[in-house]
Amino acid sequence: MISSAVKLRHLVLLGGGHAHIGVLRMLGMHPEPDLKVTLVSPSRETPYSGLLPGVVGGHSPEQDLYIDLGRLCQFAGADLVLATATAIDPGGSEIELRNRPNLAYDYLSIDVGIEPALTDLAEFDEALVSVKPIAGFMARFNLVYEQYRGGGAFAIVGAGAAGLELAFALNHRLGIKAEKNGLPKPVLYLCQAAAELLPEAPPRLRAKAKNALAAQGIQFRPQFRAVRQGAGQLASASGAVLEVDQVFWATGAAPQAFLQNSDLAGTPSGYIAVNAQLQSVSHPNVFAVGDAADMVEQARPKAGVYAVRQAPILFKNLVRMHRGQSLIRFKPQQRVLSLISLGEQTALGYKGPFWASGRSLWRLKRRIDYKFLDSFKNLPLMTPPSVSNGEALDPNMQCRGCGAKVASSILSEVLSELDPDGGRVLDDSAVLIPPAGELMIQSVDAFRPIIDDPYVLAKIAVVHAVSDIYAMGGRVGPIMVNLTLPYGSESITRSLLQQVMAGVLSQTKAEGGQLVGGHTAEGLELNITVSVTGWAPPDDIRTSRGTQLDDHLVLTKALGTGTLFAASMRGQAAPSWISHAVAMMLQS
Ligand SMILES: Cc1cc2nc3c(=O)[nH]c(=O)nc-3n(C[C@H](O)[C@H](O)[C@H](O)COP(=O)(O)OP(=O)(O)OC[C@H]3O[C@@H](n4cnc5c(N)ncnc54)[C@H](O)[C@@H]3O)c2cc1C
C-alpha cells in the first residue's frame, strides 16, 4: 500500500526482472523509510525462467512459474504502477509510460531484460513463437498444447542452454500426449547456426547432450541459420528446408529499442553501459542490471543467474546513493553452475571443466529453482517501520500554512502542464450556470489507497463518484476533488500530484464532466475525495426510495471487490483476481 512515512527521494525500479524482485524483497526486510519506491511493470506477475522447461515439460504447474509483484511491492512498501515504459529522459529524470503520464525519479534502476532479435529472418508468420517474453510464450504454448493431438513437426531455433532444455521439455510433453491419443510422437528439430553444441561446455558433456538428443529422437541440425519461416516451412541460409507446423524461437537477444533510443550511454551492441557499481557510465543516478545492461569492466554472458546475484549489490548501492555514501563493486563469478534438464527427470550440469549428469542433478536443479521461488512466495513477517508524521522534515521543504495545504504553485503548474486548455478560472469558488429547467444532483465519495497506483486509483475514485449520479438518472457536470497527499519533498509531491491529477482529468473527460476546483493538503496517506454535480430533468430522477418486494435489481458490476482487496492485504489473493477487480472498478 502507499506508505505513510515521509518520503524525501523517489526510486523508480523499471521492470520486474530477476534483480529487482531481489531488491524489493530486501527493501521489505530493511526498509528505507524516507525513500519512496515505485516498481513499473507491464504485468502484476513476473515469470522465473529457470522453471520454464519444468512447466513446459509438465513437471511443474504453470502457477509455480510466476512471482506476484503486487504482494512483493506490498511487502516492500513500494507502489506498483502497471505500465510499459516507452522512453527514458535521463536529463529530465523522467520515464515516459504508454497511455499515462510521465513518471519522475530521483534514482532509476532498469531491469527490463531483452527483446527477441528476429533480424535474421527475412519473413515469418504467426506459426513463429518467441520464447521471450515468457508470459507471451506461455500463452501461445498453452494454445499449441491444447490443440495438439499427435504427430506433426516442430522446430526450436537456438540450441543454447535455453533452447536445448526447451527441446527436451517439448519432446517429453508432446510425446506423452501423442502416445495417450494412440498417435505418433512429433518430429522435433533443434536448429542452430553454429557448428558445435554448447561450445563453452566440456567436450564429454557435449557428447552426452548429443547422445541424449539422439536417444529421444530429437533431430539436431547444426549450421542451420534460419533465414525464412512461413507457410509451414523453415528455411536455412544454405537452402535446407524443414516442413514444420510451429517454430519456437529461442535465440538472438536484442536490447529494447526504447533503451537504445535514450541518452543513456550504451555499448556497441546497444545495451546500457554500466560500471562495476552497476551504475550507468553516463548518468550516475541511473543503474541498470540483468540482460538489459553490459558491465563494461567485467563482461559476462546474458543469464538470469547474474541478474539474481546483482540484486544484493544493487540494493546496497541504491540505499548508499540515497544516504550519500560511497558505492560498492559487484564482483561476478568467473564460472557459474549450468544445469540443463533433459525432459525426463534427469539433467546435465557443468561448471568450467567439471561436469556430471543424472537424476540427482535434476533434483538439485528443482531444489534450487523452488528455493528461489519460495523466497518470494513465502515472505517473512516483518514489523512495520515506525511512521514519521512529517514534523522532522526541513521546514523549508513544505508549505505548512493553510492547514498543511500543498503549495498552490505546484498545483497550478501541474494542472497547466496536464490540461493547458482546461479553461479553469482559479478563484475562491467555482461559479456554475445550471442548465435551464433541470435539477441538480450531488454526490461525494472518498477513496483510501486500496491499490498502489495513484493514476489508476484516481480514475477509480472518479468512476465511483459519478456512478451515484448515473444511478439517479443524471448526467455528469462539474467535479471537485479534495486530495490528501502523503508528506514528502517537493519533487515527490509534484510527481504524485501529476499522477493523481492525470487520472482525475482523464476520467473526468471520459465521463463528460468538467473539473472546476478542489483542495489539496498533506497528511499521513493518500486520500482522494471526489464531489460530483449532475443534472437531470425533474421527471427523470430515479431514487432508491420506494423499492418494493419483487422489484428487479440490476447489478452492473460483480459484488465482492472489498473482499478481494481485504484478501490481497493479507497476501491471499491471486494476482489475476486483483487485475480483474481493478479492471471492473475502472468500468464506468
Ligand atoms: C527457457 C529459458 C530458460 C532459461 N533458464 C535459465 C537458467 O536456468 N539460468 C539462467 O541463468 N538463465 C536462464 N535463462 C535466461 C534468463 O531468462 C535471462 O537471462 C533472465 O530472464 C534475465 O533477467 P532480467 O532480470 O534481465 O530480465 P527478465 O527476467 O526478462 O525481466 C524483465 C522484466 O522487465 C519487464 N519489462 C520489459 N519491458 C518493459 C518495459 N518497457 N517497461 C516496464 N517493464 C518492462 C518484463 O515484464 C519483465 O518482468 C533462461 C531463458 C529461457 C528463455
Side-chain angles (χ1 to χ4, degrees):
M1 289 294 106
I2 292 169
S3 158
S4 49
V6 177
K7 305 299 182 192
L8 299 181
R9 293 278 181 274
H10 189 194
L11 162 65
V12 173
L13 301 174
L14 180 58
H18 288 60
H20 279 175
I21 53 174
V23 168
L24 284 165
R25 190 172 186 279
M26 285 172 237
L27 276 166
M29 295 171 76
H30 311 283
E32 275 293 290
D34 60 356
L35 184 64
K36 176 179 166 67
V37 182
T38 301
L39 173 71
V40 177
S41 162
S43 59
R44 205 171 276 279
E45 295 176 295
T46 196
Y48 166 59
S49 55
L51 202 70
L52 183 65
V55 172
V56 170
H59 299 301
S60 295
E62 188 180 345
Q63 76 213 40
D64 288 1
L65 182 65
Y66 299 102
I67 292 164
D68 180 348
L69 294 175
R71 236 180 110 200
L72 201 51
C73 282
Q74 243 174 37
F75 177 70
D79 292 357
L80 172 60
V81 163
L82 290 177
T84 301
T86 49
I88 294 177
D89 171 13
S93 294
E94 272 196 348
I95 306 169
E96 190 182 289
L97 303 175
R98 184 170 298 142
N99 297 331
R100 43 178 300 151
N102 291 359
L103 190 62
Y105 61 81
D106 294 298
Y107 320 114
L108 171 67
S109 177
I110 302 168
D111 183 14
V112 294
I114 46 102
E115 55 187 29
L118 297 169
T119 41
D120 270 4
L121 284 179
E123 58 189 67
F124 57 91
D125 65 18
E126 68 286 348
L128 185 107
V129 181
S130 179
V131 178
K132 287 270 186 153
I134 288 174
F137 165 77
M138 274 314 298
R140 289 290 301 277
F141 168 72
N142 287 337
L143 268 182
V144 170
Y145 182 72
E146 218 169 85
Q147 288 163 4
Y148 182 73
R149 311 291 312 146
F154 299 83
I156 292 117
V157 180
L164 191 58
E165 277 197 296
L166 211 56
F168 284 116
L170 279 167
N171 195 49
H172 178 70
R173 185 88 177 275
L174 298 179
I176 289 177
K177 192 159 185 190
E179 205 171 291
K180 265 192 195 155
N181 292 329
L183 292 167
K185 285 182 68 171
V187 176
L188 236 95
Y189 301 101
L190 177 63
C191 310
Q192 71 167 24
E196 194 52 83
L197 187 69
L198 301 175
E200 73 294 346
R204 287 185 56 200
L205 178 129
R206 261 184 256 153
K208 193 102 184 161
K210 280 188 206 159
N211 288 344
L213 286 170
Q216 295 191 30
I218 300 171
Q219 301 194 29
F220 177 47
R221 296 296 170 99
Q223 293 177 302
F224 186 107
R225 177 178 290 282
V227 290
R228 191 168 295 106
Q229 179 275 327
Q233 293 190 329
L234 179 69
S236 79
S238 61
V241 174
L242 300 174
E243 304 288 331
V244 285
D245 304 317
Q246 202 85 44
V247 174
F248 296 98
W249 193 260
T251 188
Q256 300 229 31
F258 80 95
L259 295 179
Q260 289 193 72
N261 297 336
S262 80
D263 289 337
L264 292 169
T267 55
S269 41
Y271 295 98
I272 302 171
V274 296
N275 60 22
Q277 289 77 19
L278 307 175
Q279 199 178 18
S280 155
V281 296
S282 59
H283 294 80
N285 64 335
V286 177
F287 292 75
V289 282
D291 286 0
D294 272 346
M295 297 178 283
V296 286
E297 296 160 33
Q298 37 195 3
R300 289 292 183 279
K302 304 274 174 222
V305 62
Y306 292 110
V308 169
R309 299 231 166 116
Q310 284 168 334
I313 305 299
L314 176 64
F315 166 72
K316 284 187 183 144
N317 279 349
L318 290 168
V319 169
R320 291 175 83 90
M321 169 156 277
H322 177 53
R323 293 180 184 171
Q325 298 166 341
S326 59
L327 305 188
I328 55 175
R329 292 170 69 88
F330 172 64
K331 294 183 195 124
Q333 284 173 290
Q334 288 294 342
R335 292 167 176 164
V336 292
L337 172 66
S338 297
L339 292 168
I340 299 167
S341 49
L342 303 180
E344 293 172 345
Q345 303 199 2
T346 75
L348 295 172
Y350 66 96
K351 185 171 181 180
F354 306 105
W355 71 277
S357 67
R359 283 186 177 269
S360 55
L361 277 188
W362 186 85
R363 284 196 293 271
L364 173 68
K365 177 167 168 44
R366 204 169 160 80
R367 260 203 312 280
I368 294 173
D369 287 340
Y370 271 95
K371 191 172 170 214
F372 180 77
L373 284 163
D374 281 351
S375 70
F376 295 99
K377 295 189 181 191
N378 301 317
L379 295 164
L381 277 177
M382 305 299 298
T383 320
S386 62
V387 170
S388 159
N389 64 6
E391 297 304 326
L393 264 188
D394 176 352
N396 297 324
M397 208 171 263
Q398 285 180 292
C399 169
R400 302 301 302 272
C402 316
K405 213 170 160 181
V406 169
S408 65
S409 57
I410 301 183
L411 184 61
S412 53
E413 273 168 39
V414 166
L415 280 174
S416 55
E417 272 164 34
L418 290 172
D419 191 25
D421 308 321
R424 266 172 299 281
V425 181
L426 289 177
D427 212 318
D428 291 339
S429 308
V431 181
L432 313 171
I433 304 171
E438 292 202 305
L439 292 184
M440 186 167 89
I441 317 167
Q442 286 196 307
S443 180
V444 65
D445 257 310
F447 246 78
R448 289 197 53 233
I450 52 161
I451 56 165
D452 303 326
D453 182 338
Y455 173 75
V456 174
L457 185 73
K459 285 175 79 89
I460 289 176
V462 175
V463 169
H464 200 71
V466 299
S467 67
D468 291 341
I469 304 292
Y470 293 139
M472 295 195 74
R475 63 181 196 287
V476 175
I479 287 184
M480 308 257 265
V481 177
N482 183 48
L483 295 179
T484 306
L485 302 175
Y487 298 113
S489 65
E490 186 180 317
S491 66
I492 287 185
T493 302
R494 180 189 300 274
S495 170
L496 183 57
L497 198 57
Q498 266 167 346
Q499 300 292 313
V500 172
M501 289 315 297
V504 166
L505 282 165
S506 99
Q507 198 59 40
T508 298
K509 279 188 185 152
E511 305 296 346
Q514 194 198 359
L515 183 68
V516 293
H519 178 86
T520 312
E522 289 179 294
L524 283 182
E525 68 169 14
L526 180 65
N527 188 295
I528 306 175
T529 302
V530 180
S531 140
V532 194
T533 300
W535 314 110
D539 52 358
D540 208 15
I541 300 272
R542 284 164 239 157
T543 69
S544 54
R545 265 174 288 141
T547 45
Q548 295 168 12
L549 211 61
D550 294 334
D551 276 358
H552 291 272
L553 186 64
V554 179
L555 290 183
T556 54
K557 296 184 186 189
L559 300 176
T561 42
T563 312
L564 289 179
F565 283 107
S568 167
M569 290 287 288
R570 286 161 186 74
Q572 287 173 357
S576 59
W577 302 353
I578 299 302
S579 297
H580 286 135
V582 169
M584 210 181 50
M585 290 172 91
L586 281 168
Q587 183 191 306
S588 179

